[in-house]
Amino acid sequence: MASDSVNVYIDETGDRGPGSTSSPIFGMAAVLVDSVGSLNLRRAVLQLRSDFNVPENSVMSWKENLKSHDRRKRAVEVLGSVAGLKVCYVYVVKSALKADSYLTDNQRFYNYIAFKAYKASLWAARNWKGQDARVWTRYGHVKGHDHRTTETYIRREASLDPRVPFHMEQGLRWVASDTYLESQAADIYGGFLKAATWPSGDFGYVEPSYLLGIWHQLRNSEQCAIPLGIMSMPDSGIIRKARWFPCLHCTK
Ligand SMILES: [Zn+2]
């Protein structure tokens, strides 16, 4: 039998800046689909584009097209029912970082989180489909970021770390947001994380219901999603302290 293939789409949420005008978190969502999941996910994205009247020549995004609670709930319903899909999240709470950490270096910050997300997704792919599965990873291209340095960094770190099944990788790439429909889903999954972790509005509320609505798609959520399905940094226990955290007797 031919080995399985897994496509991975990774998108970031928040910015890397340290100041008070920047986002309180920076994170990445990695969406993994097998061959059935790919088909289902593309169908789901087309459904949402149609539901939200996204013009044919523009990319659907959390920021532009999912401003209302209603639309976000709809996205949870449509994406949350896609079979053959798994999600891994990695995010940093900037206020918990030391001042001299990678926070002060945009390039290093991105590279560091990108590699964390990468490891999580390769481990998830291996756990899901076995180590002979072939993986294609596509990061969303970030404006103004030289992703060649990130690629060099990831390739070096991944090949030095024997725990990372880098042999599974078939095509590590950075792609424009309009290249794959699936990248638009990765952006929306990033939005679910943002809503749950980024206090907003006049009263600084967070809205975890979207993330909880797709919780069953998080890797390992049937046992404990920490840290392989969702990892907060610098301390993987940060997310456990959130009032909405669903793993009641969490030992992580
Ligand atoms: Zn737990």
Side-chain angles (χ1 to χ4, degrees), residues 224 245 247 250-252:
C224 180
F245 187 68
C247 186
C250 196
T251 55
K252 297 295 170 69

Side-chain angles (χ1 to χ4, degrees), residues 104-142:
T104 53
D105 182 338
N106 270 355
Q107 185 80 46
R108 216 174 122 217
F109 196 176
Y110 179 92
N111 290 354
Y112 187 69
I113 307 305
F115 185 53
K116 290 276 185 195
Y118 188 65
K119 283 192 285 192
S121 60
L122 274 189
W123 285 332
R126 180 178 62 186
N127 180 264
W128 189 19
K129 300 290 178 183
Q131 61 167 348
D132 293 332
R134 293 171 300 158
V135 174
W136 282 264
T137 306
R138 284 118 184 186
Y139 284 87
H141 181 61
V142 185

Side-chain angles (χ1 to χ4, degrees), residues 13-27:
T13 183
D15 59 72
R16 292 161 287 158
S20 57
T21 54
S22 61
S23 63
I25 65 136
F26 178 69

